Amino acid sequence: MEEIISMSYGSGGKKTSKLIEESILPSLGNYELNKLGDGAVVKLEEDYIAFSTDSFVVNPYFFPGGDIGKLSVCGTVNDLLMCGSIPKYLSLSLIIEEGFKRCELDKIINSISKTAEKAAALVVTGDTKVVERGHGNGIYINTAGIGKVISSASLGKERIEIGDVVITSGTIGNHGISIMCARENFLENNIFSDCACLNEVTAEILKYGKEVKLLRDPTRGGIATTLNEFCENMNFSIELEESSIPVDEEVQAACELFGIDPLYSANEGKVIAVVSQSISDELLSDLQKLELGKNARKIGVISDFMPGKVILKGKYSGKKILDKLSYDMLPRIC
Amino acid sequence: MCLAVPLKLISKENNIGIGEFKGIKQRIRLDFVPDVKVDNYVMVHAGFAMQIVDSKILEEISSLFSEIRQTK
Amino acid sequence: MIGECERLIQKINSLKLNKKLNIMEVCGTHTMAISKFGLRSSLKNINFISGPGCPVCVTAEQYIDYIYNLSLKEKVIIATFGDMLRVPGTKADINLENAAAKGASIKIVYSSFDALKLAEENSNRIVVFLGIGFETTAPSTAFVIREAKLKGIDNFKVLSIHKRMEPVMVTLLKDKNFDMDGFLCPGHVAMVIGEDGFSFLKKYSVPSVIAGFEVKDILKAVCKIADMHNSKKYEVVNCYKYVVKEKNLTAVNLIEEVFEEKMDIWRGIGFIENSGLKIKEKYSMQNIETTFPVEFKNSTSRCKCGEVLKGIICPNECKLFGKVCTPVNPAGPCMVSSEGSCAAYYKYDFQ
């Protein structure tokens, strides 16, 4: 019979130990995690530390381009990178629903391991809980992480100046549409999530030191929401050039089919950067040499047109305000 | 009202077909276009093909769209 | 090709007109397209008025309350297009999203056929499909009603809130305060009912163009309306010929087979004769209203959407605008639709 996770796996007793020994340590084990202490003690010297946490509830847990495990590492690693830090250590909390298949759990843990390795981050502490059937959605994951801030990085909204340039590291909207189509079985073929750790891309950008003003990975709500967060309550506006925003043809097609605007569709492997105009061309050229940066583009500028707002300049010279997303995006017919 | 998109019919079996649109494939109902043939273009609304359309004009519109969204 | 659109915009902007032209579109997808292409700001001498063309937004509050209550009944699954999820009923918090939070089973479907499949896969539940839309969508609802009867899928029911284009347009045209210089007619409704489906407009002497939804389609249609206005030739012209031809007989016949016209209530406007589609008696088994009739109490809304929709007043002339009625707490269709007149005014002009 296929092994499933029952309540006793979360009790903290023998079955929990067995789960950790058989599923978690072989994949994720290291000098600190193997101690299985209450927390991890790691050395930091006298540096600024970035600290971030995120929870992952995505359904389906396996989707084209990744799974909830990969996502849980990319999400926190990328958040630490956006703080201008090098991700070092992660915590991992699993909340598993009674009845979840052991083999699927193992797959997810394996994915976490591979992704953390690629990101050069160590999982040093964790927790496992099992909840009664019907009280979870299969599996929920929380990760938290700390990273060492790069001394040359100086990031913040207050550093943004009129004339600065807005760059994307690649095509937008992939993850949100991928999940929607996978969950609802809308299509006969797959659209892939862009889920990826952005270490290399961010390192390339941060080579430009103080010319880099702000970084963000535009997750839920898409780039429209992220850019609104940049200029909310600030004295500048962001003017986007619609025809410059790169969108994969398949993503665009699915968006048209279901009435979704790709600007509001989530991304899990992209950076939006605000940088000085003087280095923007050179930076783009550098990014375009990387696999994850090959579609990097300049998409807009910082101006004083309508402070606090994001303005989308359409192909036919019409300008309009681009709001942030209020609700989840849903397919429409109207 | 109402979102409808042109898809190219790439296969059909009785009243169900697979339509293709810029690389994505969708299962569609063909009950309202009984004369449709494979390789025809159809306007699809809410999963149902509602009209067969002229492919030449569609290619024109398609290329305009690609121009707007093209990664430069 | 892009040059052609820019040329059309320039042409429209340099037209010699005696006034700014009021052009009404009666299609949610046109409303979205005009906004998406930024045409309000790039066409300087055109006033786009958003008419009652979003079938979701003109669904009466009482229907939303009914659906909300139905969804909370045990064993019921509501299958609906995504558009319906956040439309408010008689109170702001009566909507399907909140019903789901309270434990209702709400399933978003892309097609009526998915709803029928859902019923087949959940034989111990009652699946109620919300049939919303104009004549473009009515055929696909009619199809699943007939299929359910043929295959004996007895746990599949439909609530028909489908509406017809002609009666609401005539209601607008008969209002003596209605002053419109042209109509953009919904191209996909015409795809089903044929170009002749809009010939009723001829006798009202308003230039009307059946238009598609790409930017070039809309611009060509606006040019045509302006030409007709200047030459005082009031016709109904089909500018979407590659999609709109004669009516789709299969679709139209199926609508007639399954539905009959009824008086229906439009949010913000009121009752309009023959404007709704009711499921015929022979399909009463598939009609949820047979088991759970809809009751209408008179609405006491002070919302002035009816007049905004007719282009008679500006959104800010409605007492509710910006105070009680906002995009987060919409009262009427003009604010429910994210691109409706009031929502657009709130976003672009009000702040």
Side-chain angles (χ1 to χ4, degrees):
Chain A
M1 197 187 80
E2 196 174 28
E3 191 179 348
I4 55 168
I5 307 293
S6 61
M7 288 304 292
S8 53
Y9 280 92
S11 64
K14 289 197 178 129
K15 274 226 157 117
T16 310
S17 303
K18 204 160 168 284
L19 183 70
I20 292 171
E21 269 165 39
E22 289 173 4
S23 279
I24 295 178
L25 290 183
S27 264
L28 293 167
N30 54 64
Y31 71 92
E32 195 54 46
L33 187 64
N34 291 348
K35 291 178 192 168
L36 297 176
D38 279 347
V41 176
V42 293
K43 199 162 173 210
L44 287 168
E45 291 109 35
E46 286 172 18
D47 294 304
Y48 275 100
I49 307 301
F51 183 24
S52 179
T53 185
D54 216 336
S55 297
F56 302 88
V57 302
V58 69
N59 192 5
Y61 355 102
F62 298 102
F63 48 83
D67 57 48
I68 190 173
K70 181 181 179 188
L71 193 60
S72 70
V73 174
C74 291
T76 294
V77 160
N78 289 343
D79 282 346
L80 291 172
L81 290 166
M82 299 304 114
C83 294
S85 81
I86 297 175
K88 288 282 189 202
Y89 306 109
L90 300 171
S91 73
L92 174 67
S93 221
L94 305 171
I95 300 175
I96 310 165
E97 187 183 359
E98 184 183 19
F100 197 77
K101 292 187 191 147
R102 180 71 182 264
C103 59
E104 290 194 341
L105 178 66
D106 287 345
K107 254 174 107 175
I108 289 168
I109 292 174
N110 198 28
S111 198
I112 291 171
S113 168
K114 284 209 178 86
T115 312
E117 194 179 354
K118 256 185 144 175
L122 276 182
V123 175
V124 292
T125 187
D127 184 53
T128 311
K129 292 283 186 303
V130 179
V131 292
E132 281 172 17
R133 190 186 283 273
H135 289 253
N137 200 17
I139 184 166
Y140 296 140
I141 301 182
N142 169 279
T143 50
I146 54 177
K148 187 172 136 178
V149 175
I150 300 168
S151 54
S152 56
S154 177
L155 303 170
K157 286 209 254 188
E158 65 290 346
R159 292 211 58 233
I160 295 177
E161 294 168 296
I162 310 289
D164 284 345
V165 159
V166 183
I167 282 175
T168 174
S169 63
T171 56
I172 58 123
N174 298 56
H175 181 78
I177 286 293
S178 160
I179 297 297
M180 190 184 84
C181 289
R183 186 171 50 226
E184 308 296 342
N185 240 324
F186 277 157
L187 300 178
E188 296 296 299
N189 58 345
N190 290 322
I191 292 184
F192 287 82
S193 163
D194 61 343
C195 180
C197 288
L198 294 161
N199 305 60
E200 206 184 24
V201 168
T202 316
E204 203 60 43
I205 299 174
L206 288 173
K207 278 184 186 154
Y208 289 87
K210 306 246 179 308
E211 307 299 338
V212 180
K213 314 297 183 76
L214 191 63
L215 297 175
R216 196 65 62 88
D217 65 333
T219 52
R220 278 180 310 173
I223 66 167
T225 304
T226 295
L227 291 172
N228 267 283
E229 285 166 5
F230 281 12
C231 54
E232 229 161 25
N233 303 319
M234 304 296 286
N235 62 354
F236 57 81
S237 61
I238 297 179
E239 288 191 53
L240 294 178
E241 202 52 70
E242 187 173 23
S243 54
S244 302
I245 301 173
V247 184
D248 282 336
E249 198 178 55
E250 284 174 1
V251 169
Q252 186 58 50
C255 284
E256 273 189 73
L257 213 50
F258 304 119
I260 305 280
D261 188 338
L263 299 180
Y264 292 97
S265 175
N267 308 272
E268 291 290 344
K270 300 290 165 3
V271 183
I272 300 291
V274 179
V275 304
S276 299
Q277 202 274 326
S278 56
I279 54 103
S280 59
D281 287 339
E282 203 185 326
L283 170 58
L284 278 174
S285 173
D286 289 342
L287 287 175
Q288 285 161 1
K289 296 188 179 98
L290 303 175
E291 179 56 34
L292 288 182
K294 61 182 188 248
N295 290 314
R297 296 286 182 273
K298 170 181 164 180
I299 58 171
V301 291
I302 305 296
S303 77
D304 54 8
F305 180 74
M306 201 184 272
K309 299 285 179 198
V310 179
I311 308 295
L312 186 69
K313 193 167 174 300
K315 188 67 199 174
Y316 305 103
S317 70
K319 272 188 192 185
K320 55 181 239 179
I321 295 174
L322 191 69
D323 249 334
K324 71 197 302 190
L325 184 72
S326 319
Y327 309 108
D328 281 336
M329 26 168 245
L330 292 166
R332 54 181 186 91
I333 54 151
C334 185
Chain B
M1 203 76 209
C2 335
L3 213 54
V5 177
L7 269 66
K8 181 178 179 179
L9 189 66
I10 58 174
S11 70
K12 73 175 250 200
E13 195 175 316
N14 299 322
N15 280 345
I16 300 183
I18 305 284
E20 197 198 4
F21 178 57
K22 295 182 189 173
I24 63 173
K25 297 187 170 93
Q26 195 190 34
R27 191 169 291 259
I28 54 179
R29 298 279 325 182
L30 304 172
D31 311 89
F32 296 116
V33 285
D35 298 334
V36 77
K37 297 182 177 49
V38 170
D39 288 341
N40 281 162
Y41 282 82
V42 285
M43 291 302 281
V44 175
H45 171 69
F48 283 78
M50 301 302 297
Q51 180 69 282
I52 303 171
V53 294
D54 187 333
S55 59
K56 264 208 297 268
I57 300 189
L58 270 177
E59 267 151 25
E60 221 179 74
I61 304 276
S62 245
S63 75
L64 165 67
F65 205 77
S66 303
E67 257 184 270
I68 296 170
R69 292 284 181 192
Q70 204 172 284
T71 307
K72 293 203 186 82
Chain C
M1 180 63 77
I2 294 193
E4 192 185 348
C5 290
E6 279 158 347
R7 187 187 60 78
L8 284 165
I9 291 175
Q10 260 179 16
K11 180 181 175 192
I12 295 167
N13 282 336
S14 46
L15 283 170
K16 288 196 171 40
L17 298 165
N18 54 352
K19 62 188 280 243
K20 208 168 173 186
L21 290 188
N22 290 330
I23 296 183
M24 177 175 275
E25 41 79 6
V26 280
C27 174
T29 314
H30 269 145
T31 322
M32 292 286 191
I34 286 164
S35 170
K36 178 172 133 183
F37 299 126
L39 295 181
R40 270 199 184 86
S41 62
S42 54
L43 296 180
K44 314 272 181 236
N45 48 11
I46 307 290
N47 220 7
F48 284 109
I49 313 280
S50 186
C54 169
V56 170
C57 314
V58 296
T59 298
E61 308 94 307
Q62 295 91 329
Y63 273 123
I64 305 294
D65 284 14
Y66 167 87
I67 296 164
Y68 177 88
N69 291 326
L70 185 65
S71 74
L72 290 168
K73 288 192 193 311
E74 214 184 309
K75 291 199 184 182
V76 169
I77 300 177
I78 301 286
T80 176
F81 299 127
D83 315 56
M84 280 295 276
L85 208 69
R86 283 181 285 270
V87 180
T90 52
K91 292 197 178 72
D93 56 355
I94 299 179
N95 60 55
L96 290 183
E97 190 177 56
N98 283 346
K102 284 187 156 177
S105 295
I106 314 283
K107 182 87 178 93
I108 305 293
V109 293
Y110 167 67
S111 167
S112 61
F113 212 74
D114 294 334
L116 186 62
K117 242 175 60 183
L118 192 66
E120 285 180 291
E121 291 163 359
N122 291 274
S123 51
N124 59 339
R125 310 280 295 271
I126 299 174
V127 173
V128 183
F129 174 65
L130 305 183
I132 302 225
F134 289 106
E135 289 95 333
T136 327
T137 325
S140 55
T141 304
F143 181 82
V144 290
I145 290 172
R146 193 184 61 177
E147 277 292 284
K149 182 172 169 144
L150 284 172
K151 292 183 169 164
I153 305 170
D154 295 332
N155 62 326
F156 180 75
K157 311 284 178 194
V158 172
L159 175 71
S160 172
I161 348 181
H162 284 292
K163 298 203 167 27
R164 296 180 59 231
M165 202 84 264
E166 183 177 334
V168 71
M169 292 179 85
V170 168
T171 301
L172 295 178
L173 287 161
K174 283 185 167 164
D175 186 324
K176 58 180 183 330
N177 292 316
F178 186 69
D179 174 30
M180 212 52 58
D181 301 306
F183 270 120
L184 276 180
C185 297
H188 293 147
V189 170
M191 176 173 70
V192 173
I193 66 177
E195 30 176 78
D196 284 343
F198 285 95
S199 57
F200 68 89
L201 290 168
K202 286 193 185 122
K203 68 177 197 234
Y204 295 97
S205 302
V206 179
S208 303
V209 176
I210 298 170
F213 302 87
E214 294 298 330
V215 57
K216 190 173 87 148
D217 293 327
I218 298 174
L219 290 172
K220 278 188 163 173
V222 169
C223 268
K224 192 73 196 159
I225 291 172
D227 283 344
M228 284 197 272
H229 172 84
N230 276 348
S231 60
K232 293 198 180 10
K233 265 171 82 173
Y234 306 125
E235 290 173 340
V236 180
V237 176
N238 179 6
C239 279
Y240 197 28
K241 282 191 182 329
Y242 62 99
V243 171
V244 175
K245 299 157 193 179
E246 318 83 39
K247 63 184 164 195
N248 181 320
L249 261 181
T250 317
V252 167
N253 286 345
L254 192 54
I255 293 177
E256 280 170 23
E257 152 83 14
V258 172
F259 294 114
E260 59 195 4
E261 292 167 13
K262 69 167 186 184
M263 169 129 86
D264 207 353
I265 180 167
W266 293 59
R267 187 172 195 147
I269 301 178
F271 284 100
I272 301 180
E273 287 275 358
N274 301 326
S275 66
L277 290 176
K278 175 183 163 175
I279 299 173
K280 278 180 169 164
E281 183 62 36
K282 77 187 264 204
Y283 292 100
S284 61
M285 263 285 280
Q286 284 69 43
N287 186 354
I288 188 67
E289 291 190 71
T290 308
T291 328
F292 296 112
V294 181
E295 280 165 25
F296 277 107
K297 293 175 216 146
N298 272 328
S299 173
T300 50
S301 173
R302 292 174 295 140
C303 148
K304 290 217 179 278
C305 268
E307 287 166 73
V308 176
L309 286 169
K310 292 175 191 175
I312 294 169
I313 62 169
C314 253
N316 61 355
E317 293 174 65
C318 168
K319 287 199 166 65
L320 304 183
F321 178 81
K323 304 181 183 84
V324 169
C325 181
T326 62
V328 175
N329 272 330
C334 303
M335 194 67 92
V336 168
S337 163
S338 61
E339 301 293 347
S341 296
C342 295
Y345 194 84
Y346 192 94
K347 199 157 54 171
Y348 301 120
D349 298 308
F350 183 60
Q351 287 172 339

